[in-house]
Amino acid sequence: MNNEYIIKGGRPLVGEVSISGAKNAALGIIAASIMADEPVTIENLPCVSDVEVLVSTIEEIGAKVNWTDSHTVTINGSTIKNFCVENDYIRKIRASYYILGALLGKNHSVEVAFPGGCNIGSRPIDQHIKGFEALGAKVSIAHGMIQANAEDLVGNHIYFDVSSVGATINVMLAAVLAKGKTIMENVAKEPHVVDVANFLNSMGANIKGAGTDVIRINGVERLHGTDYSIIPDMIEAGTYMIAAAATKGDILIKNVIPKHLEAVSAKLAEIGCDIQEFDDSVRVIAKARLSHTHVKTLPYPGFPTDMQPQITTLLALSEGTSVVTESVFENRFKFVDELARMGATIKIEGNTAIIDGVNKFSGASMLAPDLRAGAALVIAGLAAEGVSEVGSIEFIERGYETFDEKLRSLGGEIKKIPADDEDEMRRFLLKAV
Ligand code: EPZ
């Protein structure tokens, strides 16, 4: 069923919202869980479609899966017999490729459909393959499938050409049961990479240095069961921070790790927001019109690329001319064409957006091009005058748990309705006026 969000903008978002578990930690951890031959319980999973797809995929290849509630699952990988992961869903989510590292690391043999994911750039996997081959695997790509096999996996010294979240996690998975020592340099330092390393260590792995430029792994014989709770999602938290700023609201964002939000907090404070940090929450207040700034997306701890569409949208409503440079992905400004329909004045030159802030957006009908851009368009609709529609919300539901519910609890006038359901739209509009 195709659904869309219908939004009546113009009201400040005010109140409290609790952040769910980190999607991009959950996906690596779910894949890693099948490396033990004992039950592994994972708590604080976000209730989002990417997680559901990956869990159902490992169940399809034979893992025992038991959901104790919508945020807690117990997985036992000992019953996996099929090392080939090929199904329609798995092509849609990029994180399918973590099964490569997990099954290569555990069984020395795996075949996975070539990964899909948000259309924000070419999304190569050469660094994943470089790491697997450095450990002794033979990797081949044919007929849309990636095959990796190894007689033996032996630790090695691997220097990544680019800082890649996926390659860092995937090669870590392949190395934890390899013979001897692996040193990985120029690795990604994102909190979700650290969370996957901590999870693997709770299963008996020996990983040191996650979160720094160098990860050192001493291979172990086997991994055992564990109970683990996932860290809060820093991108979901940052999205609500910007929603508060864009609607001139006042939101207390609970269940966060403020340190993970530093790049976003600093930028919002710089343009005029009042940011108050507490132990596990952050309050964002924006009363006056915000000012312009420059933003360049970088690997952690730089400004996150997954927050680029959201900050670009906010700066399109701020005073003056701002510049946003997207240095991680080569095609992550597609949503700017949608924002233009609301009156935004943004010029794209290569990987840079030159933004002339406008006083207000007017409601429009838009389509989400990908997960984070979709969330940014919803923020634009909530800040706009009048009514907006955002279609293709399946992208948004890949990574935001009950997005419309959480926004409504903050006073946002947003509803999920079947796309093109005129009656439902009329009812919403009558109620919203
Ligand atoms: C992860 O994608 C996230 N996805 C992305 O979040 C996030 O934008 C990205 O990391 C960067 O933080 C998941 O964790 C499931 P990368 P990933 O490998 O691993 C280049 C979201 O919104 N590269 O760190 O695919 C690549 O082209 C999603 O939740 C290579 O050149 O990102 C890019 O320019 C969107 N060769 C840069 O590295 C490789 O083998 C960073 O990509 C791998 C990557």
Side-chain angles (χ1 to χ4, degrees):
M1 154 91 77
N2 264 346
N3 291 318
E4 65 177 31
Y5 290 138
I6 180 162
I7 302 161
K8 190 169 180 315
R11 280 177 61 173
L13 294 181
V14 177
E16 300 187 354
V17 66
S18 191
I19 298 304
S20 304
K23 164 180 86 83
N24 293 342
L27 297 170
I29 286 169
I30 290 163
S33 71
I34 63 178
M35 296 184 76
D37 282 333
E38 296 172 5
V40 166
T41 297
I42 307 168
E43 294 161 7
N44 198 33
L45 279 165
C47 203
V48 296
S49 59
D50 270 14
V51 163
E52 285 149 26
V53 167
L54 191 57
V55 170
S56 54
T57 294
I58 60 171
E59 192 168 24
E60 261 178 45
I61 61 173
K64 277 208 200 75
V65 169
N66 175 34
W67 285 97
T68 37
D69 62 45
S70 56
H71 298 97
T72 310
V73 71
T74 298
I75 292 168
N76 186 332
S78 62
T79 48
I80 290 176
K81 297 285 174 282
N82 171 9
F83 303 148
C84 171
V85 177
E86 211 274 319
N87 68 36
D88 292 345
Y89 290 122
I90 210 68
R91 277 201 192 84
K92 284 190 192 140
I93 67 165
R94 184 162 184 72
S96 55
Y97 58 24
Y98 289 144
I99 296 178
L100 274 171
L103 291 184
L104 176 65
K106 181 184 181 185
N107 304 93
H108 295 184
S109 168
V110 60
E111 190 178 5
V112 175
F114 209 86
C118 286
N119 181 11
I120 52 179
S122 62
R123 316 296 296 271
I125 59 167
D126 58 300
Q127 298 301 303
H128 302 241
I129 294 170
K130 171 178 182 172
F132 294 155
E133 290 177 340
L135 296 171
K138 292 221 173 334
V139 183
S140 63
I141 295 175
H143 313 298
M145 300 293 287
I146 307 166
Q147 262 193 0
N149 295 288
E151 283 304 307
D152 227 353
L153 289 173
V154 180
N156 203 339
H157 193 148
I158 302 163
Y159 190 92
F160 288 105
D161 305 326
V162 289
S163 158
S164 158
V165 167
T168 302
I169 290 175
N170 230 346
V171 175
M172 219 168 30
L173 294 173
V176 287
L177 294 173
K179 286 191 174 58
K181 194 181 185 83
T182 296
I183 297 173
M184 298 162 63
E185 302 215 41
N186 193 25
V187 292
K189 298 181 276 198
E190 275 70 4
H192 29 290
V193 172
V194 177
D195 211 27
V196 175
N198 291 340
F199 171 75
L200 286 163
N201 282 341
S202 79
M203 292 168 78
N206 182 335
I207 303 169
K208 292 187 174 50
T212 72
D213 289 313
V214 184
I215 290 177
R216 297 173 196 284
I217 300 173
N218 283 305
V220 295
E221 285 298 309
R222 55 181 290 281
L223 297 176
H224 53 69
T226 186
D227 281 10
Y228 193 84
S229 185
I230 290 181
I231 56 168
D233 193 314
M234 66 185 224
I235 304 301
E236 185 194 14
T239 303
Y240 286 101
M241 292 171 74
I242 291 201
T247 59
K248 295 199 177 43
D250 176 351
I251 302 181
L252 178 68
I253 297 135
K254 301 189 298 181
N255 185 31
V256 299
I257 299 171
K259 172 132 190 67
H260 294 168
L261 308 173
E262 273 176 354
V264 176
S265 299
K267 201 42 83 172
L268 289 180
E270 184 189 314
I271 62 175
C273 291
D274 173 10
I275 306 287
Q276 298 170 15
E277 283 187 7
F278 306 95
D279 288 349
D280 59 357
S281 59
V282 170
R283 185 174 175 189
V284 178
I285 306 168
K287 292 297 174 218
R289 187 163 185 226
L290 300 170
S291 63
H292 58 277
T293 184
H294 283 205
V295 177
K296 180 173 184 176
T297 66
L298 286 167
Y300 191 86
F303 192 92
T305 175
D306 290 349
M307 287 298 304
Q308 180 269 98
Q310 300 91 317
I311 194 80
T312 298
T313 300
L314 177 63
L315 293 172
L317 284 168
S318 301
E319 175 273 327
T321 300
S322 296
V323 177
V324 175
T325 304
E326 172 54 70
S327 76
V328 178
F329 289 108
E330 64 271 26
N331 186 18
R332 202 166 196 172
F333 283 121
K334 282 195 305 296
F335 68 98
V336 163
D337 295 338
E338 300 294 306
L339 278 186
R341 302 154 71 89
M342 306 180 84
T345 48
I346 303 174
K347 199 158 164 298
I348 304 298
E349 290 183 4
N351 67 345
T352 297
I354 296 146
I355 305 163
D356 287 328
V358 295
N359 267 315
K360 64 177 178 50
F361 286 156
S362 58
S365 181
M366 301 172 280
L367 281 178
D370 61 68
L371 163 56
R372 305 302 176 184
L377 295 179
V378 170
I379 291 173
L382 290 164
E385 281 182 2
V387 174
S388 299
E389 293 170 276
V390 177
S392 305
I393 63 170
E394 63 280 4
F395 285 120
I396 301 173
E397 295 184 326
R398 290 184 48 184
Y400 288 93
E401 179 171 331
T402 60
F403 195 39
D404 53 325
E405 273 175 51
K406 290 190 180 184
L407 288 168
R408 273 197 300 277
S409 74
L410 294 165
E413 290 186 85
I414 176 172
K415 191 162 191 284
K416 177 161 59 171
I417 64 172
D420 310 325
D421 181 331
E422 298 299 327
D423 293 344
E424 191 57 40
M425 186 173 307
R426 199 169 297 113
R427 273 193 289 276
F428 174 84
L429 293 176
L430 285 174
K431 215 160 60 187
V433 293

